[in-house]
Amino acid sequence: MVKNNPDPTRSGRKRKRKLRKRAYLILIPLIAFVAVLSYGAYLYIKADTVLSDSHVDDGREKSDLREVAVDPTEDNVSILIMGVDSNNHRDNAESARTDALMLATLNKDDNSVELVSIPRDSYVYVPEVGYETKINHAHAHGGTEATVETVENLLEIPVDYYAKVNFHAFVDVVDALGGITAEVPYEFTESNSMDERGAIHLYPGEQELNGEEALALARTRKLDNDIERGKRQQDLIKGVVDKALSANSILKFDDVIEAVGDNMVTNMTFGEMRSFISYATNSEDLAINTSTLEGYDYQPAGTYYWQLDPVALDETQTKLQEHLDIADSTTVENENETEKASGAY
């Protein structure tokens, strides 16, 4: 019995199909890898260009409370976040008051952040003017330098870096991320970023907010107080961070970079900003602890202030000093100042 020989043409087609399939299995991941690499390189170059434009050389190599300049790749550092009540149409960037003021300390060993909200009406000593007044007046009197000096004097820790943003930065970043989820505590109306009264109307409950709506929630204090507003601002910042670190936001980073760069002024170089990536890449283990300076209502001569509680303030100072790992040196420095004041020297 004679066996039929297999068709060589058919066998050849099968081999070609197998080769094509293997080629696809290799090429598709390779193309995806090259695309991701190219996008990453593009974002890096764009971030370098845009964020470098936000950098200002203020001639301040280090805080006066530091013996040597810090290296954020190795040291625990602090960043003062200033939300300035300014708009392009107001033309008041240098004379505006700070509408939001937060101090963040970053600890590399713990991969943790302490975020302290400083109420805008806090009654503090402002070195620029030489007397006590609302802390948000410091920027109006002496800009960034006066605000940094006031916060250092208040919290007794060095302010290594600062980032000053206006209303538009927050609105644009939230919009670039496609909105954020937030809890609205009550129904209210608020002005938008262009000062149009009653332009934003929100109802209570957890919901998705666009940039203007998120800004309104961050600004309003009509039905509660500055302390609750500070807590909302912290929650909104957390919401922005969580959304930015989510996988589906990667393709939106281009717009986020543009939004930040157009509306921020900072003394951080792009290289220093880049060093904070380690906190983001360890986001699953990143702990962000929030708090607000405690106090009580104080209204002498009809002007409202937030009088800080001295015991709670001392506890906050100690917590931040320990988080920066400068507690010992700060304690010695304070003891020396006390001895000088008492005439021991």
Side-chain angles (χ1 to χ4, degrees), residues 108-312:
K108 294 191 71 66
D109 294 333
D110 297 341
N111 200 51
S112 61
V113 177
E114 289 289 342
L115 185 63
V116 179
S117 177
I118 306 173
R120 54 176 283 170
D121 292 329
S122 296
Y123 191 56
V124 304
Y125 179 75
V126 177
E128 177 71 16
V129 295
Y131 56 80
E132 290 182 305
T133 185
K134 295 182 180 183
I135 196 167
N136 70 337
H137 290 185
H139 189 272
H141 287 296
T144 301
E145 183 179 354
T147 304
V148 168
E149 186 180 19
T150 301
V151 172
E152 287 188 330
N153 183 73
L154 172 66
L155 297 178
E156 297 185 357
I157 64 165
V159 172
D160 299 307
Y161 302 106
Y162 63 81
K164 181 164 64 174
V165 297
N166 60 29
F167 287 164
H168 295 294
F170 186 72
V171 172
D172 292 348
V173 167
V174 172
D175 284 340
L177 290 171
I180 59 172
T181 302
E183 181 72 30
V184 178
Y186 46 71
E187 181 182 358
F188 71 92
T189 59
E190 186 62 69
S191 301
N192 62 13
S193 62
M194 300 301 290
D195 294 331
E196 297 173 4
R197 291 183 177 276
I200 307 299
H201 187 179
L202 293 176
Y203 294 89
E206 185 178 273
Q207 55 201 275
E208 191 80 5
L209 303 179
N210 63 29
E212 287 286 358
E213 292 167 340
L215 176 64
L217 182 59
R219 295 174 69 185
T220 194
R221 56 174 179 168
K222 294 177 179 178
L223 301 180
D224 44 31
N225 53 47
D226 203 36
I227 303 305
E228 293 303 316
R229 185 173 77 155
K231 293 176 182 178
R232 284 196 297 276
Q233 291 172 348
Q234 290 173 331
D235 289 339
L236 287 166
I237 287 178
K238 281 185 177 181
V240 169
V241 171
D242 290 343
K243 187 68 176 286
L245 295 178
S246 64
N248 60 359
S249 292
I250 293 176
L251 296 178
K252 300 173 182 175
F253 284 176
D254 189 3
D255 293 334
V256 171
I257 292 170
E258 286 282 0
V260 173
D262 290 344
N263 299 286
M264 180 177 73
V265 174
T266 179
N267 67 336
M268 288 182 280
T269 64
F270 178 67
E272 289 167 331
M273 292 183 218
R274 194 176 62 238
S275 68
F276 298 124
I277 291 176
S278 61
Y279 290 90
T281 54
N282 296 325
S283 58
E284 291 184 2
D285 300 322
L286 177 63
I288 302 179
N289 306 309
T290 60
S291 60
T292 301
L293 294 185
E294 298 178 16
Y296 52 88
D297 296 337
Y298 177 55
Q299 199 164 353
T303 301
Y304 174 81
Y305 298 99
W306 181 249
Q307 180 68 62
L308 299 177
D309 179 88
V311 175

Side-chain angles (χ1 to χ4, degrees), residues 6-22:
D7 184 351
T9 304
R10 186 176 179 183
S11 298
R13 285 198 297 266
K14 286 183 177 180
R15 282 196 297 271
K16 287 181 179 179
R17 282 197 294 268
K18 287 181 179 179
L19 288 173
R20 281 199 297 267
K21 187 175 181 181
R22 289 176 184 173

